[in-house]
């Protein structure tokens, strides 16, 4: 859950609606169908996230049937927003983070880290699914130059 949120910048609701078919490992993209404002878009799929997902699909029981994250007790049923929030808060606590953290914090971090790595603001706007560049600028506090885009999750040194 955390890897997907941070490495792709998708919203919590977009994660909950993410289907298995939305993962394109050939093009290394995640398809967000009907995100906020009923708009669809593609965002990046990090290599590390793909590896985590592959491991998850080979070891999870029961195996997800439709959605990437499903309720363990009912096959094919979406995970809840409250459960995702609890996962994020527990992970933050285990990491010693005392600030209030939410799934949206990971989206903000995705955008900020891409900008700090030199990714063009217009590309970040596209990845986040913002219609207006001013909405993207709220996330980001500085301007920078172009560079090749990679998920910030893949830039972290060999951490598991």
């Amino acid at each position: 859950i955390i890897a997907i949120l941070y490495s792709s910048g998708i919203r919590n609701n977009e994660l909950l609606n993410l289907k298995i078919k939305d993962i394109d490992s050939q093009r290394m993209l995640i398809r967000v169908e009907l995100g906020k404002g009923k708009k669809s878009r593609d965002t990046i799929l990090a290599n590390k996230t793909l590896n985590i997902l592959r491991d998850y699909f080979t070891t999870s029981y029961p195996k997800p049937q439709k959605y990437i994250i499903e309720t363990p007790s009912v096959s094919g049923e979406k995970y809840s927003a409250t459960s995702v929030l609890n996962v994020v808060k527990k992970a933050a606590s285990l990491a010693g983070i005392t600030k209030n953290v939410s799934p949206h914090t990971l989206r903000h971090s995705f955008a900020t880290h891409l900008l700090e790595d030199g990714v063009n603001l217009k590309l970040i706007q596209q990845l986040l699914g913002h219609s207006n560049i001013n909405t993207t600028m709220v996330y980001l506090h500085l301007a920078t130059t172009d560079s090749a885009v990679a998920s910030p999750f893949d830039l972290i040194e060999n951490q598991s």
Side-chain angles (χ1 to χ4, degrees), residues 28-42:
M28 296 304 290
L29 296 173
I30 296 174
R31 181 72 181 161
V32 177
E33 291 290 339
L34 303 175
K36 188 173 180 183
K38 303 265 189 255
K39 293 181 287 183
S40 298
R41 71 180 189 286
D42 290 327

Side-chain angles (χ1 to χ4, degrees), residues 10-56:
I10 63 175
R11 297 173 179 93
N12 191 27
N13 194 47
E14 294 168 343
L15 170 69
L16 296 174
N17 290 307
L18 196 63
K19 296 181 177 124
I20 296 166
K21 68 175 184 64
D22 296 331
I23 303 298
D24 184 344
S25 61
Q26 296 299 310
R27 296 181 2 195
M28 296 304 290
L29 296 173
I30 296 174
R31 181 72 181 161
V32 177
E33 291 290 339
L34 303 175
K36 188 173 180 183
K38 303 265 189 255
K39 293 181 287 183
S40 298
R41 71 180 189 286
D42 290 327
T43 189
I44 51 182
L45 171 62
N47 285 314
K48 288 181 182 180
T49 301
L50 179 60
N51 290 334
I52 290 168
L53 285 171
R54 285 181 171 152
D55 185 51
Y56 167 69

Side-chain angles (χ1 to χ4, degrees), residues 122-142:
K122 289 294 279 180
L123 179 54
I124 297 170
Q125 174 189 3
Q126 261 184 307
L127 294 171
L128 293 174
H130 290 158
S131 304
N132 188 322
I133 193 74
N134 291 328
T135 307
T136 310
M137 304 246 334
V138 169
Y139 284 82
L140 317 167
H141 308 290
L142 13 128

Side-chain angles (χ1 to χ4, degrees), residues 15-129:
L15 170 69
L16 296 174
N17 290 307
L18 196 63
K19 296 181 177 124
I20 296 166
K21 68 175 184 64
D22 296 331
I23 303 298
D24 184 344
S25 61
Q26 296 299 310
R27 296 181 2 195
M28 296 304 290
L29 296 173
I30 296 174
R31 181 72 181 161
V32 177
E33 291 290 339
L34 303 175
K36 188 173 180 183
K38 303 265 189 255
K39 293 181 287 183
S40 298
R41 71 180 189 286
D42 290 327
T43 189
I44 51 182
L45 171 62
N47 285 314
K48 288 181 182 180
T49 301
L50 179 60
N51 290 334
I52 290 168
L53 285 171
R54 285 181 171 152
D55 185 51
Y56 167 69
F57 280 105
T58 57
T59 61
S60 67
Y61 181 82
K63 293 215 180 304
Q65 300 299 307
K66 182 177 181 181
Y67 297 98
I68 293 291
I69 311 295
E70 294 181 349
T71 302
S73 57
V74 184
S75 184
E77 186 174 308
K78 287 188 229 180
Y79 210 58
S80 74
T82 302
S83 295
V84 171
L85 178 62
N86 290 338
V87 166
V88 171
K89 287 191 174 295
K90 183 176 181 183
S93 175
L94 290 171
I97 297 169
T98 56
K99 289 174 120 182
N100 187 25
V101 177
S102 70
H104 192 78
T105 306
L106 296 168
R107 178 173 165 83
H108 180 92
S109 297
F110 167 83
T112 303
H113 293 157
L114 285 177
L115 184 70
E116 289 172 352
D117 195 44
V119 176
N120 181 286
L121 195 58
K122 289 294 279 180
L123 179 54
I124 297 170
Q125 174 189 3
Q126 261 184 307
L127 294 171
L128 293 174

